Amino acid sequence: MPDNSSPANAKQPLGKPKIPVVFWLLLTISLSLIMGTVLLSNDMKHLKTVSHYFGFDLFPPDVRPPPPKALPRPTPPATFGLPLHLIEPPLAQTASTFLRTWRISGPAMCAALRDAGIATSDWAAASFNADTFECFFEHGGKREKDQLPNSIFVIVRGDAAGAINNMRVKIINPETDQNGQLDPGILRIFETMLRQPQWLDFHETLTAIKNLKDIKEDGFGASINFTREVLNPGRYNFTLSLDATSGPQKRTRSYFSDRTWLPSPEPTVETDGRPAPVSTPADAEGPAKNADHPQ
C-alpha cells in the first residue's frame, strides 16, 4: 500500500478565520460618512462645537459693517385750524362797522381855538343843564343901514368827562374879500375845528366854506354841514358832530364805550398845560392877534 503519510499531504491544523481587508475598508468609509454627516448637519453646528472644544478656530466670526444710521425724520408741517366764525358769513344782527371817534377832548379843543385867536370861554357846565359842558365865543358888530350886523357865534359842547358831542358855528353877514371869499380871521375858526380832530378825509369842506358854498360830508359816523339859511341869505350855519345812526355803528360804539375801555390819551403833545399847535400849510396865514390871549 502506498504510503500517504508524506509531509506534503499532511493536514494543517484549524485556526481563526481571517477578515478580508475590503471589509475594514468599507467599515472605515461607512464610519467616516456617518461622522461627516453628523458633523456637517444643522449648519455644521456639531463641527463648530468640536473645533471650539479642541481650540481650533475653523470658522472665524463674520465681521459685519455697522448698520447705517437712520436718517432723522423730517419735522411734520405745522397745522392749524381756523375758528369757525372766521369762515362763516357774518350775521346781520351782530355786524359792526368802522366808526370815527374824537381824538381830542373838549377842553383841548377850546384851548386850541384860543391859541388860534378865538377867545372862547373855559370848559364849564352849561347854565341850562349841569350834565352838559361847553365853551363858547360870540362876537357882534354894529348894524349899518339896512344890512344885518355881522356876528359870530362858536360853541363846543360835551360832557363832564371832556368828550365832545358836537361843535357849532353861526356867522351872520360875514366879511369877505374882493373875490367873495370868507375873511381869513373867520376862516381860522373852521380850520381849527377841522384839523384838530385829525380826520384827514374831508378834503372839500374847507374850500367850500372859504367860498361860502353849501356842503355836506359824512364818513364813518362823522357829519359835517355848512349851509346858508334859505330865508336869510346872509346867515350861515356850521355843524360838526358824531352820530352813530345805523345798527352796525351803534353796536361798535356800544362795544368801545368808555365804560368798558380806558380813555385814549390826547394825540397832541402838551407843553405848559396846553396842547401843541396844529401844523398849518405853508400858504396859510398866521392866527390873528388877540389882546386877551397873546400867542
Side-chain angles (χ1 to χ4, degrees):
M1 291 183 65
D3 189 2
N4 292 333
S5 59
S6 61
N9 295 326
K11 292 184 179 180
Q12 298 293 333
L14 294 175
K16 294 182 180 179
K18 294 182 178 181
I19 300 175
V21 177
V22 176
F23 172 78
W24 292 111
L25 181 60
L26 293 175
L27 181 61
T28 302
I29 293 173
S30 299
L31 293 175
S32 299
L33 292 174
I34 293 171
M35 292 179 64
T37 302
V38 173
L39 293 174
L40 298 177
S41 63
N42 293 331
D43 197 18
M44 297 184 289
K45 178 180 179 181
H46 301 290
L47 181 60
K48 294 177 181 178
T49 303
V50 172
S51 64
H52 181 70
Y53 179 78
F54 289 102
F56 298 105
D57 194 6
L58 299 177
F59 303 96
D62 295 335
V63 179
R64 296 181 180 180
K69 294 182 179 180
L71 296 176
R73 291 185 178 182
T75 304
T79 58
F80 61 93
L82 290 175
L84 188 60
H85 67 273
L86 293 181
I87 57 178
E88 287 185 340
L91 301 177
Q93 61 269 25
T94 60
S96 59
T97 186
F98 291 105
L99 184 66
R100 204 184 305 269
T101 58
W102 292 109
R103 299 198 64 196
I104 187 172
S105 65
M109 174 60 75
C110 298
L113 287 170
R114 288 193 292 271
D115 288 342
I118 315 302
T120 62
S121 62
D122 293 330
W123 185 258
S127 57
F128 63 91
N129 188 351
D131 295 332
T132 301
F133 277 64
E134 63 185 18
C135 70
F136 62 90
F137 165 80
E138 59 180 334
H139 168 75
K142 295 181 179 180
R143 186 184 184 94
E144 296 182 2
K145 299 182 180 179
D146 295 334
Q147 293 184 351
L148 292 173
N150 56 1
S151 63
I152 304 171
F153 179 73
V154 179
I155 189 167
V156 180
R157 281 180 175 165
D159 56 22
I164 299 175
N165 293 332
N166 59 74
M167 296 188 288
R168 299 177 182 273
V169 179
K170 187 179 185 67
I171 53 177
I172 300 176
N173 194 25
E175 296 181 4
T176 57
D177 60 11
Q178 64 273 16
N179 297 321
Q181 294 183 336
L182 190 62
D183 179 73
I186 303 176
L187 185 63
R188 192 172 300 114
I189 300 173
F190 304 101
E191 290 176 346
T192 304
M193 286 186 169
L194 292 174
R195 289 174 179 168
Q196 285 294 326
Q198 301 185 20
W199 301 334
L200 306 180
D201 54 331
F202 297 115
H203 305 293
E204 305 297 331
T205 305
L206 197 58
T207 302
I209 294 174
K210 184 177 182 180
N211 293 289
L212 295 175
K213 294 182 178 180
D214 292 359
I215 188 171
K216 179 178 180 179
E217 289 197 72
D218 296 289
F220 304 111
S223 177
I224 298 177
N225 287 279
F226 181 79
T227 56
R228 182 198 308 257
E229 293 184 6
V230 178
L231 300 179
N232 300 290
R235 300 173 184 262
Y236 300 86
N237 296 290
F238 170 84
T239 304
L240 173 56
S241 62
L242 286 181
D243 189 14
T245 56
S246 65
Q249 289 179 350
K250 292 179 180 179
R251 281 188 288 272
T252 302
R253 172 169 290 183
S254 176
Y255 179 83
F256 289 103
S257 171
D258 292 339
R259 295 188 300 270
T260 307
W261 303 90
L262 293 174
S264 59
E266 295 289 343
T268 53
V269 179
E270 295 189 2
T271 56
D272 297 332
R274 286 189 176 185
V278 178
S279 59
T280 55
D283 56 350
E285 298 183 12
K289 299 292 185 180
N290 186 282
D292 296 333
H293 299 278
Q295 301 296 316

